Amino acid sequence: MHAHDLVARFATAVKGDDPMAAARAVLEELKDDLDGVAQALSYLTGTGGNSQQAFFRSPTLSLLKVSFPSGRRTPPHDHGTWASILVLSGKEKNTLYRRDGESGLKRASEVILERGSILPMRAEAVHVAECIGDEPAIGLHVYGANVLNTERYMWDPDTLARQPLDWTKYEGLAQRASKAAAAPLC
C-alpha cells in the first residue's frame, strides 16, 4: 500500500451521496491493515494536524497523518466539516462538546481511542484531542473539505472564548492546553 492508494480510495468513496459514511467504510476496511497504512504514511514527519502532515487536500477531501506526542492536548476546536479518525498507534482521549449559545461550550462526552478505533465527527462537532500514555498517538484523519483552508473555530482553553482558527495562535493555545490539568469543563 502507498499513500496514493489511500488517496484514490477516499477520493472515489466521497463522490457519493453520503461522503462521511463512505469514508467511514474505507476506514473500516483499513483496520485490517493498520501496519500497512502506517508504513504508507511513514514518510510524513512532524506533530499536530498541520500542513506538514497533509498528504492530500482538495475542496471536498483532506487526508492527514496526525501525530501527537505524549501529553499533547489541543485547544477545543472544530473542523469546519465532517471528520473521521482512524488510530494507527498509541492512545488518544477525545473530549467532545456541544455548542451552547453563540460561543459557549458544554461538555458532552469523552471517548478513548486505541489502535484500530474510529471516531466519526459531524461538522458541528467541537473536541479536544489528547495523547495519553507514553507512545505517540498517530492517526489517519479524513475530512470532507480542505481542512487547512476552511472556516474553522478554536476556543481559548482557559476562557473558552471562541475565535476564528488562526494557525499563528494555535500552537500557543495548544501549549497552554497541554499544561492544564484536564480538558476544559472536565
Side-chain angles (χ1 to χ4, degrees), residues 37 63 72 84 87 96 110 118 120 124 139 146 160 163 175:
V37 175
L63 300 171
R72 170 74 172 201
S84 290
V87 176
L96 300 160
E110 181 179 286
I118 296 172
E124 63 274 6
N146 180 348
L160 292 180
Q163 56 194 290
Q175 288 178 14

Side-chain angles (χ1 to χ4, degrees), residues 83-103:
S84 290
I85 300 167
L86 170 63
V87 176
L88 302 173
S89 62
K91 194 183 262 189
E92 183 179 302
K93 178 168 72 172
N94 278 264
T95 304
L96 300 160
Y97 300 89
R98 59 184 162 77
R99 295 172 197 225
D100 181 38
E102 177 60 29
S103 63

Side-chain angles (χ1 to χ4, degrees), residues 40-87:
L41 303 180
S42 63
Y43 72 96
L44 295 161
T45 60
T47 60
N50 59 49
S51 61
Q52 292 178 345
Q53 294 188 305
F55 64 97
F56 182 80
R57 291 186 296 153
S58 78
T60 60
L61 177 67
S62 293
L63 300 171
L64 283 75
K65 171 193 165 188
V66 176
S67 177
F68 292 126
S70 181
R72 170 74 172 201
R73 184 184 296 127
T74 68
H77 65 280
D78 68 15
H79 299 115
T81 185
W82 62 263
S84 290
I85 300 167
L86 170 63
V87 176

